[in-house]
Amino acid sequence: MREQTWLSKIMFFFNIVLTVLTFLAYSLPFLAPKAFPFLSVLTLILPLFLILNFFFFVYWLLQFKRYMLLSGLVLLLGITFINRFYKFSETNLPKEEGDFKVMTYNVRLFNIYEWLPKDDVAQQISKLINEKSPDILCLQDFTNNEDADFSQYPYSYIKLNGEKLKYGQAIYSNYKIINKGEIQFPDSFNNAIFADVLKGKDTIRIYSIHLQSVKISADIHEKIDEAKSKFILKRLSLAFKKQQQQSEIIKEHFENCSYPKIICSDLNNSAFSYVYRTIKGEMKDAFEEAGTGFGKSYNFKYYPARIDFILVDKSIEVKQFRTIDTFFQSDHFPQIVRLNLDNEVNEKEN
């Protein structure tokens, strides 16, 4: 066998380190963040690990070296993670009677603190919602704004907290709301709300969930020194601990619901995390079912972050999904999905 060059030795060393980190990240959705809060940060950069493993696979392949098997095995074992990161084809099934649209959007308080150099954010958001005309609309980081018009919806549930600034979440619906409530989180300004809507003869439980924020700005592009890195990691670790508690509270609430569920959420975490796995359970991820591309839902520079999700019961068919990642009126992007409630499945279950 030909002797390794010094470059090959260095590259193989980094390949091994990457393999260990990737397998560690694979295991984190099954490990409680409270036990390993620092390591949980790896779930945010798992997509980067997958890209680097693909790079190593191609690098060794072009050199006809068997080292390619290492990253090849990593990618093969992580095939389900790849599907959560990138979708190569989308689904757009024919429209049928009974289809309905659901939209979720973190509106970032309609730019009340002027994060964006715009003065018509609320109007633009209202315009988009009128154009897309979702039957059910869930808004996180919501506050009352006279320029945001949702009068087209006959039913709504709005839950606001705070003293000087009232903010929270809102659910708007074309279908009658027959029950509603809030899930409070200990020691947090975040929460979850739900509404039971009556669509024909079917009752559907709608959740709007906003988990603990990691409080890292999307426009953090300045130089990050060692002290700032430690501060960010500490903040992430604390947020992940709270998110674990919040996700487990939500999961317990799910167990008392017998209706088909639709979850609209800003989880402030990735699809590779413990909280995503806990909340998703056996439900379907609308992006995985019908989306395409990266499904980027958060406007983080250079990185396709997907931290907003629409999850639906197995009895609900996902016919179309889209993230509107060209709509820059918040640090998040709106997501809209077209669904159909499979009545045959529900009749069998009942």
Side-chain angles (χ1 to χ4, degrees):
M1 186 175 101
R2 190 171 62 182
E3 186 177 349
Q4 284 184 305
T5 64
W6 64 270
L7 179 59
S8 290
K9 290 179 180 178
I10 292 174
M11 291 292 283
F12 188 57
F13 170 77
F14 283 115
N15 198 169
I16 291 175
V17 172
L18 177 64
T19 298
V20 172
L21 290 175
T22 306
F23 277 124
L24 183 58
Y26 283 172
S27 68
L28 289 175
F30 306 93
L31 302 176
K34 287 183 180 179
F36 307 96
F38 178 77
L39 291 177
S40 296
V41 176
L42 294 178
T43 62
L44 296 177
I45 55 176
L46 178 55
L48 177 61
F49 291 165
L50 295 173
I51 292 171
L52 290 175
N53 273 289
F54 180 75
F55 166 79
F56 274 113
F57 177 78
V58 174
Y59 177 80
W60 297 123
L61 179 64
L62 292 176
Q63 297 190 51
F64 301 101
K65 290 185 178 291
R66 64 175 183 273
Y67 298 147
M68 67 179 182
L69 297 175
L70 182 61
S71 287
L73 178 62
V74 172
L75 293 172
L76 182 62
L77 294 177
I79 191 68
T80 58
F81 291 96
I82 295 172
N83 196 46
R84 294 178 193 173
F85 172 55
Y86 189 87
K87 281 293 299 303
F88 291 94
S89 60
E90 69 176 328
T91 299
N92 187 359
L93 299 177
K95 293 182 180 180
E96 296 178 288
E97 184 179 355
D99 287 2
F100 62 103
K101 293 189 290 185
V102 177
M103 182 175 180
T104 185
Y105 190 22
N106 182 317
V107 296
R108 204 187 192 192
L109 302 175
F110 298 110
N111 199 41
I112 194 172
Y113 291 116
E114 300 180 348
W115 293 289
L116 299 172
K118 303 177 181 180
D119 57 9
D120 65 342
V121 167
Q123 296 97 320
Q124 290 299 319
I125 291 175
S126 293
K127 181 181 177 182
L128 176 76
I129 290 169
N130 281 323
E131 289 176 354
K132 300 303 179 183
S133 189
D135 297 290
I136 298 169
L137 171 68
C138 294
L139 301 175
Q140 300 88 36
D141 264 349
F142 176 88
T143 189
N144 287 317
N145 187 304
E146 61 182 12
D147 294 323
D149 181 18
F150 304 107
S151 59
Q152 68 269 36
Y153 291 99
Y155 307 102
S156 65
Y157 174 44
I158 301 171
K159 181 62 181 178
L160 305 179
N161 298 301
E163 298 179 0
K164 292 183 179 180
L165 174 65
K166 297 286 186 180
Y167 66 96
Q169 301 195 63
I171 297 175
Y172 290 93
S173 175
N174 284 331
Y175 308 123
K176 184 177 181 180
I177 295 176
I178 60 174
N179 184 34
K180 58 191 177 183
E182 177 188 14
I183 306 173
Q184 296 181 332
F185 301 147
D187 304 316
S188 176
F189 293 110
N190 295 73
N191 69 341
I193 63 174
F194 68 91
D196 295 337
V197 303
L198 193 61
K199 183 182 184 300
K201 297 180 180 180
D202 298 303
T203 301
I204 307 172
R205 168 72 55 89
I206 310 297
Y207 283 94
S208 182
I209 297 171
H210 191 191
L211 293 192
Q212 187 71 27
S213 174
V214 297
K215 298 181 180 179
I216 296 178
S217 174
D219 50 10
I220 180 172
H221 309 313
E222 69 272 16
K223 183 179 179 181
I224 300 177
D225 55 24
E226 183 179 355
K228 184 169 287 187
S229 296
K230 290 181 179 179
F231 173 75
I232 291 174
L233 288 174
K234 182 178 180 181
R235 176 172 282 181
L236 286 169
S237 297
L238 291 174
F240 290 162
K241 285 182 181 179
K242 283 197 171 185
Q243 287 177 2
Q244 176 190 338
Q245 181 186 37
Q246 293 164 2
S247 66
E248 290 168 351
I249 290 172
I250 290 170
K251 182 180 180 181
E252 183 178 353
H253 197 274
F254 287 170
E255 293 174 354
N256 296 317
C257 175
S258 58
Y259 303 133
K261 298 185 293 293
I262 298 173
I263 299 171
C264 295
S265 60
D266 171 8
L267 297 187
N268 277 307
N269 214 319
S270 73
F272 316 107
S273 64
Y274 175 92
V275 297
Y276 171 86
R277 178 175 172 271
T278 299
I279 291 175
K280 179 178 180 290
E282 297 299 319
M283 299 180 75
K284 297 188 289 191
D285 186 324
F287 166 75
E288 291 185 44
E289 294 292 315
T292 187
F294 290 104
K296 178 180 179 180
S297 73
Y298 186 69
N299 189 24
F300 199 90
K301 196 172 183 180
Y302 307 127
Y303 192 77
R306 186 167 78 98
I307 62 174
D308 302 87
F309 305 91
I310 298 178
L311 309 172
V312 304
D313 255 17
K314 286 187 173 182
S315 60
I316 299 175
E317 183 181 19
V318 181
K319 305 188 73 173
Q320 187 180 19
F321 174 91
R322 186 186 174 198
T323 298
I324 310 174
D325 57 6
T326 56
F327 189 71
F328 296 97
Q329 305 298 327
S330 169
D331 53 348
H332 292 250
F333 298 117
Q335 296 180 324
I336 188 165
V337 63
R338 180 162 53 89
L339 307 170
N340 193 292
L341 190 62
D342 190 338
N343 288 310
E344 291 184 5
V345 172
N346 290 323
E347 286 173 5
K348 290 178 182 179
E349 290 179 348
N350 294 329

